[in-house]
Amino acid sequence: MSASPVETKKPAKITVKGLRKSFGTNEVLKGIDVEISEGEVVCVIGPSGSGKSTLLRCLNKLEEISAGHVVVDGFDVTDPKVDINEVRRHVGMVFQHFNLFPHMSVAENIMLAPVELKKATKAEAREQALTLLERVGLKEKADARPASLSGGQKQRVAIARALAMNPGIMLFDEATSALDPEMVGEVLQVIRDLAASGMTMVLVTHEMGFAKEIGDRVIFMDGGVVCESGPPAELFGNPQQERTQEFLSKVL
Amino acid sequence: MTESRKTRAPRALLRAVIAGLAGVFVLLGGAGAAMAQPSDSNVEGKNFVIGTDTTFAPFEFRANGELVGIDMDLLQAIAKDQGFSVDIKSLGFSAALAALSSNQVDGVIAGMSITDDRKAIYDFSEPYFESGVQMAIAKTDDSIKGYEDLAGKTVVAKTGSEGETYAKSIAAKYGFTVKSLDQSATMAESVKSGSAVAVFDDYPVLAYGVSQNNGLTTVTEKVPGGSYGFAVNKGQNPALLAAFNDGLAKLKANGEYDKILDKYLADPASAVPSNFWERLGNSIPALMNGLGHTILVTAISFAVAMVLGLLAGFMKLSNNIVVRGISTTFVNIFRGTPLLLWAFLFYFGVPQLTGLPMSIWVAGVLTLSLNSGAYVAEIVRGAIQSVDPGQLEASRSLGLGYGKSMQKVVVPQAFKMMTPSLINQLIIMLKDSSLLLAIGFTELLYQGQQIYAANFRITETLLIVGVIYFVAIMALTKLANYVDRRFNK
């Protein structure tokens, strides 16, 4: 790293080196090297089965890492001595299927982590939950059950929940893929606002237009490797790799 | 124990288990000696625990909730004469013998015939009653006057009894078939219903049944048969045995012995009221007491089963193969073996192995809760596995640990899903608790059996017991569903 022109960039928030991940005999990540700096918004695109979701899930160790190193916010998550729960408090994650807790109200979903991890009293946590809900435009739904919300509303609550521990990094795993088309916009708007606030974000997405608009950098993955990466204008406008061209010709 | 005079409900298994246990106990005989009363020639002022049958009228049965009968009156009179006191444990015949073998009781008096097989295991008193086999037929049947009218017909006798032995010995000569049943009351029913034409049984039993309007009448003279004796464990309690013999001789000499026998045999009808409804009214307190025990043992056992089940259910989900193995073994053992077997093992086997007495409540709760715990473990495992894995991932991604995530996110959802199955399990347990009657636990069906064995109204009594179970279970179901709705919106 010493010889590279890294000095001009902000410090690395996420460093992935030689990351390999196998499920049984099936190797889905075949050596990934990625570095993401603070405040950077990186979109990961690629065909299904290319390993992009697995890469994302390795960043907060929702998947066991087979080989390589992943350093997130200064923590080496591959070090068995690292308290993974501590790391995860610095990394918010938003899932394709929201995964809201159905037995809790919207506000309780958001309050769970701060209260259980003793970061706030119930009253403080509720105050913060209302602030976060206001930020995603759902303050009036604080006491509703998740089941009564639309898909777009659910995902906005999920984003608010992921923000409850004030993470420095947000991971989005196909956050709009399960939504009806008319609800995609409201969720993208919340993500857009987050990006504007300077949050470091990694998004696995199928929304090429959105990736082009919001991403500081786009990574194209195929077959468990990073095939090509660069600023959106370059990657979408002038892809260098044949596989990238082939993929883009199909989705654009 | 080859000739068990009478046994209780789940008989075939019960007999097999008892026979097996008895064998084990004999082999382990040495261990039991530690519990025996120190032999002492003086019984005065001492208290002895005596096991007896649940109901073997007219030797022991309940009238107005109290245990009465020839055995009971004789024992009390002898105890009074000899200056010792007794605690009567109404266990059932086989259970009383198993309890004697495991030194849970000091002696057994249960209308038991003195046989060579039994003499190998127990020491018997002088005979206190000379029994004999007699034949009875339906009161309405005038076609049977003697054995020769039985040709081509079917008769019933009690499994393993002298009545059965005798009936079989003359079956070929008179050309009839012998069918074996297990209870006096059921034998009377089958003769009345016509599935058999006659019953062979001990004459005092038949005489007592006739006096209770069981619809039978005796037609032959009694064939002199076995003698009944009081038993203690082989080589133990010789003082008690001697006192029994001494007291018996005195009672015979002073005429009290004859008075007791007359009270139950000469004019049996006067011993107990014969009106069914009156007697049913009298039996309500016993039935309610039984229901109370049924509910209490179920409630305690279910609470224990929930703790065991939750523990074992979680262990089954562990990544640790040893932890998972322990849980799987537990579940497989208790799902793969009959409830009744554990009731016997806990109540009769454990005292034998440890030398410590076992409370029937502890044995009952262990039996029910371990059995049910195995099923609850599977319910818990299934419910937790049915919660979307995304729920756990979402919680873990927030930085909550595994335990916290299970507690706050997964288990509440799993619990909601498992509630109907748990209610089901609770109801099954309440019904299964009736099996504990085999070790003499005084629950509802046990009380019902006592009543019909004394009054011969099987159908009516069982219907009443059935209605009580049904009402109790319906009430329990309603309550459980209410709680479910209340807490699992």
Side-chain angles (χ1 to χ4, degrees):
Chain A
M1 233 188 297
S2 52
S4 65
V6 175
E7 282 93 312
T8 56
K9 284 194 186 174
K10 288 183 182 175
K13 195 82 169 165
I14 299 172
T15 308
V16 177
K17 267 194 201 162
L19 170 61
R20 286 176 179 275
K21 170 66 186 173
S22 302
F23 292 103
T25 54
N26 180 24
E27 190 170 47
V28 290
L29 296 180
K30 298 172 179 166
I32 306 275
D33 297 286
V34 172
E35 200 167 292
I36 296 167
S37 29
E38 184 156 4
E40 197 178 8
V41 176
V42 173
C43 294
V44 184
I45 63 169
S48 331
S50 59
K52 47 194 198 304
S53 278
T54 306
L55 168 61
L56 199 71
R57 291 162 61 84
C58 283
L59 298 183
N60 66 350
K61 218 179 169 190
L62 279 185
E63 300 293 353
E64 286 294 327
I65 291 159
S66 306
H69 282 280
V70 175
V71 180
V72 173
D73 224 1
F75 295 97
D76 183 354
V77 306
T78 40
D79 178 353
K81 287 195 287 290
V82 155
D83 178 3
I84 191 63
N85 293 329
E86 176 64 30
V87 181
R88 284 171 179 159
R89 285 164 210 165
H90 297 257
V91 184
M93 186 161 196
V94 176
F95 301 86
Q96 180 179 359
H97 295 289
F98 333 128
N99 299 353
L100 292 180
F101 308 133
H103 58 301
M104 299 179 189
S105 73
V106 163
E108 285 165 348
N109 263 272
I110 301 168
M111 291 158 63
L112 178 72
V115 170
E116 289 304 325
L117 299 171
K118 312 252 185 288
K119 300 288 180 206
T121 65
K122 267 200 164 156
E124 289 164 2
R126 178 157 176 103
E127 203 54 45
Q128 187 208 10
L130 293 177
T131 310
L132 285 169
L133 283 171
E134 195 163 23
R135 195 164 155 191
V136 299
L138 287 170
K139 197 178 177 186
E140 75 286 357
K141 295 289 187 188
D143 296 310
R145 290 265 161 178
S148 68
L149 303 181
S150 72
Q153 289 172 329
K154 281 180 189 164
Q155 197 58 298
R156 284 146 68 196
V157 171
I159 294 170
R161 182 178 67 181
L163 290 168
M165 293 301 290
N166 294 314
I169 299 167
M170 284 286 280
L171 309 176
F172 291 85
D173 190 2
E174 302 191 27
T176 58
S177 298
L179 295 176
D180 290 339
E182 73 269 25
M183 293 174 181
V184 171
E186 61 189 71
V187 174
L188 292 185
Q189 187 53 48
V190 170
I191 298 175
R192 202 176 277 127
D193 292 346
L194 261 181
S197 75
M199 176 75 73
T200 308
M201 306 208 293
V202 184
L203 300 91
V204 169
T205 184
H206 291 297
E207 303 276 340
M208 295 304 151
F210 186 64
K212 198 186 281 183
E213 172 207 326
I214 197 177
D216 295 321
R217 185 151 49 113
V218 176
I219 293 175
F220 171 68
M221 283 183 69
D222 192 21
V225 296
V226 172
C227 206
E228 187 167 355
S229 99
E234 283 177 24
L235 192 123
F236 286 110
N238 184 21
Q240 299 300 306
Q241 301 290 325
E242 198 178 318
R243 278 188 289 174
T244 319
Q245 293 164 4
E246 194 185 325
F247 174 73
L248 290 175
S249 73
K250 281 181 194 156
V251 296
L252 284 179
Chain B
M1 211 144 326
T2 52
E3 191 231 315
S4 115
R5 176 179 45 68
K6 63 191 298 250
T7 47
R8 295 261 85 87
R11 299 169 187 86
L13 173 67
L14 188 149
R15 259 195 308 280
V17 171
I18 287 286
L21 284 176
V24 172
F25 294 155
V26 171
L27 290 173
L28 293 172
M35 289 166 58
Q37 298 250 348
S39 45
D40 186 337
S41 57
N42 194 358
V43 296
E44 241 179 278
K46 288 222 174 79
N47 185 61
F48 295 97
V49 183
I50 307 297
T52 187
D53 202 348
T54 48
T55 301
F56 178 45
F59 292 92
E60 44 267 338
F61 60 101
R62 279 177 201 274
N64 303 338
E66 221 161 292
L67 207 54
V68 296
I70 295 171
D71 284 348
M72 298 300 102
D73 287 12
L74 268 182
L75 185 62
Q76 294 293 354
I78 290 170
K80 197 175 156 202
D81 179 71
Q82 299 288 314
F84 63 90
S85 60
V86 289
D87 272 346
I88 303 295
K89 285 207 166 173
S90 173
L91 300 170
F93 186 74
S94 305
L97 290 186
L100 182 60
S101 295
S102 57
N103 289 308
Q104 297 259 65
V105 297
D106 298 307
V108 166
I109 185 161
M112 172 165 48
S113 298
I114 302 168
T115 65
D116 288 341
D117 284 337
R118 285 181 183 145
K119 275 202 275 196
I121 317 172
Y122 311 116
D123 285 337
F124 280 93
S125 69
E126 297 297 320
Y128 65 84
F129 187 86
E130 300 294 338
S131 190
V133 173
Q134 210 174 3
M135 180 175 88
I137 59 166
K139 213 156 46 177
T140 51
D141 184 354
D142 50 15
S143 66
I144 312 263
K145 305 268 192 294
Y147 301 141
E148 52 282 352
D149 299 321
L150 294 174
K153 305 269 170 56
T154 297
V155 306
V156 286
K158 208 176 288 176
T159 312
S161 72
E162 298 186 348
E164 184 191 46
T165 310
Y166 180 71
K168 282 186 173 162
S169 72
I170 59 166
K173 182 174 165 197
Y174 294 103
F176 61 86
T177 314
V178 182
K179 192 172 125 192
S180 297
L181 293 176
D182 285 285
Q183 290 183 356
S184 297
T186 46
M187 293 196 298
E189 287 297 299
S190 79
V191 171
K192 274 193 293 177
S193 67
S195 61
V197 296
V199 48
F200 283 75
D201 205 350
D202 292 350
Y203 95 85
V205 176
L206 287 177
Y208 175 75
V210 169
S211 78
Q212 297 304 302
N213 295 316
N214 69 349
L216 300 187
T217 183
T218 51
V219 285
T220 55
E221 286 302 303
K222 92 169 181 183
V223 182
S227 313
Y228 291 176
F230 167 75
V232 296
N233 227 352
K234 188 119 196 123
Q236 285 170 36
N237 281 312
L240 177 60
L241 207 56
F244 186 93
N245 286 334
D246 189 42
L248 181 64
K250 281 191 191 162
L251 294 185
K252 279 184 170 167
N254 67 18
E256 204 176 332
Y257 174 85
D258 288 331
K259 257 199 288 187
I260 290 172
L261 255 58
D262 282 354
K263 181 174 161 194
Y264 293 101
L265 294 177
D267 185 11
S270 66
V272 267
S274 56
N275 180 297
F276 172 73
W277 290 109
E278 189 186 327
R279 203 160 333 119
L280 177 69
N282 290 336
S283 65
I284 287 296
L287 289 179
M288 286 303 118
N289 182 274
L291 177 63
H293 285 179
T294 291
I295 289 172
L296 190 57
V297 79
T298 304
I300 298 171
S301 304
F302 196 70
V304 178
M306 281 299 296
V307 174
L308 283 173
L310 281 170
L311 203 69
F314 274 103
M315 285 167 71
K316 270 210 134 178
L317 297 169
S318 167
N319 290 324
N320 185 321
I321 190 162
V322 176
V323 171
R324 215 164 53 228
I326 290 171
S327 175
T328 304
T329 307
F330 162 70
V331 170
N332 285 348
I333 286 177
F334 285 96
R335 275 205 316 194
T337 47
L339 192 69
L340 204 47
L341 182 131
W342 290 101
F344 291 129
L345 273 179
F346 285 130
Y347 194 53
F348 302 124
V350 170
Q352 188 69 36
L353 295 173
T354 62
L356 297 170
M358 171 70 99
S359 145
I360 197 159
W361 280 89
V362 175
V365 167
L366 276 175
T367 304
L368 291 178
S369 59
L370 285 168
N371 176 274
S372 197
Y375 290 92
V376 171
E378 282 300 300
I379 292 170
V380 168
R381 184 194 56 76
I384 286 174
Q385 282 182 334
S386 71
V387 173
D388 174 11
Q391 292 286 314
L392 181 60
E393 283 189 350
S395 179
R396 297 303 310 270
S397 78
L398 289 168
L400 269 67
Y402 177 80
K404 218 31 159 189
S405 300
M406 290 305 275
Q407 180 201 342
K408 292 287 168 181
V409 173
V410 178
V411 172
Q413 295 182 58
F415 201 77
K416 196 166 160 179
M417 253 177 287
M418 66 175 103
T419 314
S421 306
L422 289 177
I423 293 175
N424 214 15
Q425 196 58 44
L426 175 62
I427 289 166
I428 289 171
M429 186 195 268
L430 191 136
K431 290 188 286 189
D432 279 356
S433 69
S434 63
L435 289 171
L436 295 180
L437 64 80
I439 56 169
F441 184 76
T442 54
E443 49 71 61
L444 180 53
L445 186 55
Y446 171 97
Q447 299 285 14
Q449 277 199 340
Q450 297 235 327
I451 290 161
Y452 75 63
N455 67 18
F456 291 90
R457 307 295 171 110
I458 297 186
T459 314
E460 294 95 325
T461 310
L462 284 181
L463 278 176
I464 288 160
V465 169
V467 167
I468 295 174
Y469 269 117
F470 183 77
V471 170
I473 286 168
M474 284 312 284
L476 186 69
T477 311
K478 292 270 178 230
L479 178 73
N481 286 336
Y482 170 77
V483 173
D484 181 25
R485 274 196 307 275
R486 187 78 200 275
F487 293 101
N488 287 333
K489 291 182 293 215

